[in-house]
Amino acid sequence: MPNFKTLTGRLFKLVFGLYLVLAIVVTVAQLVIEYSSVRNTISSDMHALADSFAAGVSDAVWTYDKPLLDSLTRGILQTAIISGVEVVNEEGERLARAGEVPEEAGKNSDSLLGLYLTHEVTLHSALFAASTDKQVLGKMVLYSKRDVAIERVKYSFVVILVNSLIKTTGLWLIFYWAITRRLSRPLVKISEAVNRLDLEPDNGTPPIVDYPHQDEVGQLVSSLNDMRLRLSATHQQLLEKVGALEQAEEALQQANRDLELRVEQRTADLQIAKEAAEEASRAKSAFLSNMSHELRTPLNAILGYSQLFGMDHTLPEKKLQQARAIEVAGKNLLTLVNDVLELSNIEAGKLAFNLEPVSLQPLLSDAFAVVNSLASDKAIDLSADNGSCNGAVLTDHARLRQVLIHLLSNAIKYNHEHGTVRLSCEQMGEKLRITVVDSGRGIAADKQPYLFDAFNRLGVEGGIIEGAGIGLVISKRIIESMNGTIGYESREGEGSSFWIELPAAALPESSAQQERHMQNRTIDSGVKLRGRQVVLYIEDNPSNLMLMEDLFTVLRTDLDFTHASNAEAGIEMARAAPPALIFMDIQLPGMNGYEALARLREQPDTANTPVIALTGNAMKEDVERGMAAGFDAYITKPFEIDEMLGLLDEWFGKQST
């Protein structure tokens, strides 16, 4: 047995292993060919056998001679290649059966190793045998089990296997003898001679290795005999270079020590800068959160009362227009606040996305409903090509809705009176394009390169576009974060076309797309509360208290409204007379909303009372903190009157008239 660590052993293992694999592959191929040939022979025999019995079986089926039919099927079964026979009529009813007939799931004989080889013969009536329009009586199916073919190839398998073993063994002996005599022994001699070489420079001429042949091994011997001369010449050069390297190494070690000191100093400086940046980021977030609350709190009263006044149809038309103007101005200011917070979250990398298949139709209807009143004010013809927007995209529903509303609002805002805004969709390979086209003023060519720059308010017809100039910047970053692209085409005086491309998706068949409700509202009331109920509002801002009180006084007279100006008073009121629902601000004097919520949950009378945060803290981390603290819902100021009424309808049921 060869030693597989030697050159001989490794060569033998390589060649013999490859040959063994080849022999196995050839043997298997021969067996497969033999097996396929036997199956073809059996198939031909089955075909001939079926043709010889087809007439008799057809007569028996035509006359429905059951004894004769059974006798014929048993006669067919006597053939060695047949494992089973069955006869069925045209309706699929089995008339006769003999031997092993597989179930329907096992009748597939298309593969080479199929369990059964089958052959079907269509049976025709003897009465119509001479006619071209024959009457089909049914079919006769013959089955030959795989064991029949395997039994016939057993002898061939033994012959092929013995032949392969003899050839493999012979090759092994010949190759082992040749590689040992012609390669291994000369190499051993060369190895022994190399071990005796002395490579020191002053020990005389090394012994010469003698090899009589001028083959590859002879060339190796000549190279070994010349090696001593070359090594002697280079030895001194190596000694000189080693000395130079030692000096260079000492200099490099000193430079490395200096570099380590500089790296330590730089690391310390970077750590200080990192801590300062983190502190600045925290201060910025706290500032934005506080500014958001301070701006949203008065905006809640402004927008709330403007909506209440707009609902009072007893007011003169002039007053209603003034209320509408206040509402529009307040919403513009709210949009600015939201855009600044959104841009801050994007720059801080805090914007999270929930990508899922979203149906376009309900989303577009929702966006149209938001901008419909803006279009009506300017008599803009707002339309959509609904037939092209039946698909779905992989996106974040709320973020895509935000971008669409912004594009539609821009198309309406910068359009002419009685202009048009049209929305359409188009499948583009694996993406779906949504396009908003307007007939408005268009964008000058020299302004277009700056369209997606932050705080860039482009001039239009000698004036300035309203807004802070960050809406398109936010839209672009949102779409690109959802693996999409946004672009535009525009000519001054001829209108603009803005488009979005997002990956197309297929909606799950198990569930339909659900409608979205108020942002950050996740109410699950279980059973709706009935009868006259009390709603408690804990708020320190007088304007917001008065707004909520007027809302309940005018629009939800079926509910009793009470309020407290701080958390301590609210907790005492809830303990004395537990309300059905509590609205509570987060930033309260003394005890804040989180502390008050914990106190309410500790009291048995209010432990299960629903508590909804109604606050101006609208940062993403504020919402997450509020929901994690245990609020049943989190509503940011300013809220829409209609949405608040919808929440109360969901919680208490609609007010009876």
Side-chain angles (χ1 to χ4, degrees), residues 19 48 123 130 165-166 188 267 300 421 423 425 436 445 497 568 607 657:
Y19 177 78
L123 303 177
L165 289 175
I166 292 173
V188 170
T267 302
N300 189 51
V421 174
L423 186 146
C425 305
V436 177
S497 171
E568 289 286 357
T657 57

Side-chain angles (χ1 to χ4, degrees), residues 332-377:
N332 288 337
L333 182 56
L334 177 62
T335 300
L336 174 60
V337 173
N338 290 334
D339 286 348
V340 171
L341 293 178
E342 191 85 340
L343 186 61
S344 174
N345 284 331
I346 292 174
E347 292 176 344
K350 297 180 180 179
L351 205 61
F353 295 90
N354 179 28
L355 300 183
E356 59 181 351
V358 174
S359 176
L360 282 179
Q361 279 288 2
L363 188 147
L364 297 179
S365 298
D366 188 14
F368 267 54
V370 174
V371 302
N372 192 54
S373 60
L374 182 61
S376 299
D377 292 342

Side-chain angles (χ1 to χ4, degrees), residues 414 436-449 451 458 460 472 487-499:
Y414 307 124
V436 177
V437 181
D438 67 73
S439 61
R441 310 165 185 172
I443 305 169
D446 60 332
K447 305 294 185 182
Q448 293 183 15
L451 189 60
L458 304 179
V460 176
L472 284 176
Y488 66 93
E489 296 177 1
S490 181
R491 298 182 65 177
E492 190 172 11
E494 298 183 11
S496 303
S497 171
F498 282 81
W499 52 264

